[in-house]
């Protein structure tokens, strides 16, 4: 097996992916991750937004400025988690336009890859992406795009919110070591991470580093099937106002 640095690519992590089953790794995962995996039988698709704030009202005001439905969790570790009405993989433009602080977007498509972005006000200040499924790549290689990362910005977030963060851990996440393996059943080569048994664990490692309070199996669902659990955890629902009709 040969360990290589990740190849680079610039493309969005999409929801186009195959479906894999989640095996039980709860014994070695952080408590919120383990509890989520206990009752989730399929691949994880999560997307959440985290406003740097100490007041839940800041998140509520952001959703109202954006005129978006959504849920806002109470502050924890200096983050207010927001779940706006949106399609998976497509950030709502009105949310970004209405942002007046530091907003972190986190996305995990367990079958395809993960990404994060940081917005300062409406401006994209930092972007990172890692893909492990790309139908256009017959070599099955993991591709990392760290060209848009502001390491100082991300490290500052980890220092402000994390518990004893290590810069080496951030580097390990952003520039993961990769090993080339051969499938026992198919005989086809593929890439895998050296430091994580399951590929999605690198996304969890980042979320833990910057101390995101809510991120596992978390995304907007139109049927609001998870709303009761969110409300039990202190989340507040925001309903959008009808947009004014422009005069003729």
């Amino acid at each position: 097996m040969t360990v290589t640095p990740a190849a680079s690519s610039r493309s969005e992590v999409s929801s186009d992916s195959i479906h894999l089953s989640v095996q039980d790794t709860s014994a070695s995962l952080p408590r919120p991750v383990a509890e989520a995996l206990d009752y989730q039988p399929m691949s994880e698709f999560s997307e959440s937004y985290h406003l740097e704030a100490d007041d839940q009202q800041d998140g509520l005001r952001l959703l109202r400025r954006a005129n978006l439905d959504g849920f806002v969790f109470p502050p924890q570790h200096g983050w207010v988690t927001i779940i706006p009405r949106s399609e998976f993989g497509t950030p709502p433009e009105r949310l970004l336009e209405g942002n007046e602080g530091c907003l972190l977007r986190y996305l995990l498509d367990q079958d395809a890859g993960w990404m994060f972005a940081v917005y300062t006000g409406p401006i994209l200040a930092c972007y990172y992406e890692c893909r492990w499924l790309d139908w256009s790549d017959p070599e099955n290689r993991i591709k990392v795009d760290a060209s848009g990362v502001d390491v100082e910005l991300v490290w500052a977030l980890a220092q402000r919110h994390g518990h004893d963060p290590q810069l080496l851990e951030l580097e390990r996440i952003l520039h993961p070591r990769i090993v080339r393996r051969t499938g026992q059943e198919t005989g086809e080569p593929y890439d895998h991470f050296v430091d994580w048994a399951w590929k999605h664990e690198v996304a969890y490692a980042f979320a833990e580093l910057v101390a995101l309070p809510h991120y596992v199996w978390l995304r907007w669902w139109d049927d609001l099937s998870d709303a009761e659990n969110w409300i039990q955890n202190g989340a507040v629902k925001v309903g959008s106002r009808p947009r004014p009709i422009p005069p003729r």
Side-chain angles (χ1 to χ4, degrees):
M1 296 187 293
T2 304
V3 177
T4 60
S8 294
S9 173
R10 179 63 172 171
S11 55
E12 285 193 16
V13 175
S14 69
S15 56
D16 296 332
S17 57
I18 59 174
H19 294 285
L20 305 175
S21 60
V22 177
Q23 298 193 26
D24 183 14
T25 59
S26 59
S28 61
L29 295 175
R31 182 181 297 274
V33 178
E35 291 176 351
L37 291 180
D38 280 344
Y39 60 86
Q40 297 291 350
M42 61 185 69
S43 298
E44 179 182 355
F45 297 87
S46 291
E47 185 173 19
S48 52
Y49 296 80
H50 307 267
L51 181 67
E52 193 172 31
D54 293 314
D55 189 341
Q56 190 174 22
Q57 289 296 322
D58 290 336
L60 296 173
R61 282 190 286 266
L62 173 53
L63 278 184
R64 288 167 182 150
R65 282 196 304 273
N67 194 28
L68 284 171
D69 290 350
F71 290 82
V72 179
F73 287 81
Q76 198 172 343
H77 310 308
W79 293 110
V80 170
T81 299
I82 302 172
I83 307 299
R85 176 187 286 275
S86 57
E87 295 184 8
F88 182 75
T90 304
E93 291 185 8
R94 298 205 305 270
L95 184 75
L96 305 180
E97 293 170 354
N99 180 42
E100 296 177 352
C102 178
L103 184 68
L104 187 151
R105 177 191 176 204
Y106 167 90
L107 181 148
L108 169 64
D109 176 337
Q110 187 176 341
D111 295 338
W114 78 283
M115 60 78 64
F116 72 88
V118 180
Y119 295 85
T120 303
I123 305 302
L124 178 63
C126 180
Y127 180 92
Y128 177 87
E129 176 185 304
C130 176
R131 291 183 64 115
W132 47 76
L133 176 65
D134 184 345
W135 292 111
S136 66
D137 179 16
E139 298 297 323
N140 297 315
R141 294 194 179 276
I142 294 174
K143 298 182 178 68
V144 168
D145 181 3
S147 62
V149 172
D150 184 335
V151 175
E152 292 184 1
L153 173 60
V154 179
W155 177 234
L157 293 175
Q159 289 180 302
R160 287 201 294 271
H161 303 283
H163 176 68
D164 190 26
Q166 301 296 317
L167 184 58
L168 185 61
E169 175 68 0
L170 176 59
E171 290 296 327
R172 187 172 75 111
I173 293 167
L174 296 180
H175 304 285
R177 295 187 298 160
I178 293 173
V179 64
R180 194 72 171 159
R181 295 178 177 172
T182 302
Q184 294 182 352
E185 295 183 2
T186 65
E188 296 181 357
Y190 66 95
D191 279 357
H192 200 79
F193 294 124
V194 172
D195 297 318
W196 292 280
W198 303 97
K199 291 174 180 175
H200 63 275
E201 290 178 330
V202 63
Y204 290 167
F206 171 79
E208 291 289 314
L209 184 72
V210 298
L212 299 183
H214 307 282
Y215 61 92
V216 181
W217 293 94
L218 196 64
R219 57 171 290 199
W220 175 267
W221 295 93
D222 285 336
D223 63 5
L224 299 180
S225 56
D226 294 326
E228 183 176 348
N229 290 332
W230 298 348
I231 292 172
Q232 288 177 356
N233 283 279
V236 174
K237 184 179 185 300
V238 173
S240 62
R241 302 181 300 275
R243 296 183 67 82
I245 300 174
R248 294 183 178 179

